Amino acid sequence: ALVAIGEVSKQIFKQDPDFFPIKPMDYGRFLVISLGTGSSKFEEKYDAQKAKSWGVLDWLLSSGSTPLVDIFTRASADMVDIHIASVFKALHSEQNYLRIQDDKLRGTLSSVDVATKDNLEKLVNVGEMLLKKPVSRANLETGQMVPACSDTEETNEEALKRFAKLLSDEKQIRQARSPK
């Protein structure tokens, strides 16, 4: 999501006609949907007492997992989400950033390489449940995802429909302006 924002910003600065008439720094017009693959953020995978005595190899591979890679991957994802959420909040356009992610996956559901029919069906159920949940935002103090504070509690499904409508309207405006 952060790379996409950067790439669009570059095209705006280059005055790419596809992004006309957006002005540089007009980030209030950005719509960003960030779909996570799910994680086991709150699953206690590593024990501090054991980890304190780990050597280099243990940090690279421990009990069938890769602690160092897991930690860097989670930290990177969290920092990107917090950064984007901060920017959109500062621009008073929080409703233009939608992050859909389940951080409470456990076991094989949180693994990226378990493609059994049973696991994939369970992941479909996770996705369907996520659609029904209220929109969440990163708490900028704790990094935790919390329900978005708004007058009307919007679900992820409703937010996606709202984004689709905004994008459809924008496409119609651009087509009307475009010489045929």
Side-chain angles (χ1 to χ4, degrees):
L2 193 55
V3 171
I5 290 170
E7 289 301 314
V8 169
S9 297
K10 279 189 220 174
Q11 296 308 311
I12 291 169
F13 285 120
K14 290 179 181 178
Q15 297 182 339
D16 182 322
D18 287 338
F19 296 96
F20 178 81
I22 299 173
K23 296 177 180 71
M25 304 307 288
D26 191 7
Y27 291 107
R29 296 213 35 216
F30 279 41
L31 292 176
V32 176
I33 300 171
S34 176
L35 302 174
T37 57
S39 73
S40 58
K41 189 176 194 174
F42 301 107
E43 184 176 31
E44 294 182 18
K45 237 176 162 177
Y46 307 110
D47 179 271
Q49 290 301 318
K50 290 179 186 174
K52 74 178 184 181
S53 63
W54 284 354
V56 173
L57 292 178
D58 295 311
W59 279 102
L60 295 174
L61 186 65
S62 178
S63 302
S65 65
T66 53
L68 198 57
V69 173
D70 291 346
I71 291 165
F72 279 126
T73 302
R74 283 189 197 154
S76 175
D78 288 348
M79 290 308 300
V80 166
D81 187 38
I82 289 169
H83 176 75
I84 295 173
S86 297
V87 168
F88 277 84
K89 184 174 183 131
L91 296 169
H92 305 287
S93 56
E94 290 173 285
Q95 72 284 353
N96 290 5
Y97 174 55
L98 177 63
R99 172 77 173 146
I100 300 177
Q101 164 81 338
D102 190 337
D103 289 332
K104 296 179 180 92
L105 298 181
R106 301 264 191 241
T108 60
L109 284 177
S110 66
S111 177
V112 295
D113 59 357
V114 179
T116 64
K117 183 178 181 187
D118 181 56
N119 202 53
L120 292 175
E121 287 172 356
K122 288 178 182 175
L123 286 170
V124 167
N125 290 335
V126 167
E128 288 170 350
M129 288 189 305
L130 273 173
L131 286 173
K132 305 299 179 202
K133 287 186 176 182
V135 169
S136 295
R137 304 217 190 291
N139 177 310
L140 300 181
E141 298 296 320
T142 67
Q144 304 284 333
M145 294 298 284
V146 295
C149 298
S150 63
D151 296 335
T152 60
E153 199 171 86
E154 184 179 44
T155 65
N156 289 318
E157 183 174 25
E158 292 165 339
L160 287 169
K161 288 178 182 176
R162 179 174 52 82
F163 271 53
K165 171 85 170 95
L166 290 168
L167 290 170
S168 176
D169 292 349
E170 179 69 19
K171 182 178 180 182
Q172 288 176 359
I173 291 167
R174 288 183 187 196
Q175 286 175 336
R177 285 189 194 144
S178 173
K180 300 214 176 185

